[in-house]
């Protein structure tokens, strides 16, 4: 919600979609993003961040399968080979932190579900929002995501914290402004200019950044 409010003044000056279909597709993408956030956060309560990174390394493979099934342009052999090599590299980086047990099965399934959802909304934005400003796409996308997750919290709980402490508040602001506004605007800008397979390889950068941090 913070990210959407921060972004709207900048997006307001751009050209917004005029057809109903684009609005509906972007709303659908936003709903999928809400599901994706819920799944990955619930999943990481059960499994390590290293294992989650390895699971997210499957995203290029998932996108390759989706684009092939939907006949939206099959990935090339070099792209598939590169994705497999990169996934193997992620596994090597986090091999010492991966301890899979039967108790983690639910967490693995939840994070993999998030991978499927992220692949689906990337596909929707790529196919249905071509040419729309990345600022506008992100504003609609995040507003729907915020509304959907807020509805879930109001119905299911838990009760919000009345006065959060300073450190969580600063962390939330960082995630909203840098990890959400900047990240999604940059991602959707890129998605409008490169293929889905190329954009999906960003998942292989996350583990490297995590190791540096």
């Amino acid at each position: 919600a913070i990210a959407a409010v921060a972004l709207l003044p900048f997006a307001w000056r751009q050209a917004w979609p005029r057809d109903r279909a684009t609005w509906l597709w972007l709303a659908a993408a936003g709903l999928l993003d809400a599901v994706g956030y819920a799944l990955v956060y619930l999943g990481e309560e059960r499994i390590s961040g290293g294992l989650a990174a390895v699971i997210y390394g499957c995203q290029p493979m998932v996108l390759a399968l989706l684009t092939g099934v939907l006949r939206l342009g099959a990935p090339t052999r070099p792209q598939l080979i590169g994705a497999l090599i990169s996934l193997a590299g992620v596994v090597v980086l986090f091999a010492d932190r991966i301890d899979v047990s039967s108790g983690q099965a639910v967490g693995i399934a939840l994070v993999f579900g998030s991978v499927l959802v992220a692949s689906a909304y990337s596909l929707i934005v790529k196919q249905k929002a071509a040419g729309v400003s990345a600022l506008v796409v992100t504003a609609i996308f995040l507003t729907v995501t915020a509304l959907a997750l807020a509805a879930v919290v109001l119905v299911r709980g838990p009760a919000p914290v009345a006065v959060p402490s300073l450190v969580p508040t600063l962390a939330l602001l960082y995630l909203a402004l840098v990890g959400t506004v900047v990240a999604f605007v940059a991602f959707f800008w890129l998605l409008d200019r490169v293929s889905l397979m190329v954009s999906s390889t960003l998942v292989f950068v996350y583990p490297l950044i995590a190791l540096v941090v």
Side-chain angles (χ1 to χ4, degrees):
I2 294 169
V5 170
L7 186 58
L8 281 171
F10 300 97
W12 195 255
R13 304 176 183 181
Q14 307 295 316
W16 288 63
R18 297 183 179 274
D19 59 299
R20 183 182 177 186
T22 303
W23 278 91
L24 290 175
W25 280 114
L26 287 175
L31 287 174
L32 287 172
D33 184 47
V35 174
Y37 268 122
L39 289 175
V40 78
Y41 286 147
L42 290 171
E44 288 205 29
E45 290 179 348
R46 296 165 172 83
I47 63 173
S48 69
L51 180 54
V54 172
I55 296 169
Y56 250 88
C58 299
Q59 189 172 10
M61 301 292 101
V62 172
L63 270 172
L65 180 62
L66 285 176
T67 54
V69 170
L70 298 175
R71 299 180 180 179
L72 297 174
T76 64
R77 184 179 296 177
Q79 286 175 331
L80 289 175
I81 293 172
L84 285 171
I85 293 172
S86 298
L87 176 58
V90 175
V91 173
V92 170
L93 287 173
F94 289 100
D96 61 329
R97 305 183 194 182
I98 298 173
D99 180 22
V100 181
S101 66
S102 58
Q104 295 177 310
V106 173
I108 292 170
L110 290 170
V111 175
F112 188 74
S114 179
V115 173
L116 293 173
V117 167
S119 300
Y121 73 62
S122 297
L123 194 59
I124 288 173
V125 173
K126 177 67 174 177
Q127 295 294 318
K128 304 299 181 180
V132 180
S133 166
L135 290 170
V136 173
V137 170
T138 313
I140 298 171
F141 179 84
L142 292 179
T143 300
V144 174
T145 298
L147 291 172
L149 288 175
V152 172
V153 171
L154 289 173
V155 173
R156 301 282 299 179
V161 178
V163 184
S165 57
L166 178 62
V167 173
T169 301
L170 292 175
L172 181 64
L173 289 173
Y174 173 82
L175 287 170
L177 300 177
V178 180
T180 305
V181 173
V182 174
F184 272 113
V185 169
F187 176 68
F188 289 142
W189 178 88
L190 179 69
L191 198 58
D192 199 33
R193 288 160 175 78
V194 301
S195 71
L196 275 169
M197 282 298 294
V198 171
S199 66
S200 70
T201 58
L202 285 170
V203 298
F204 300 128
V205 181
Y206 305 161
L208 299 178
I209 295 174
L211 284 176
V212 171
V213 172

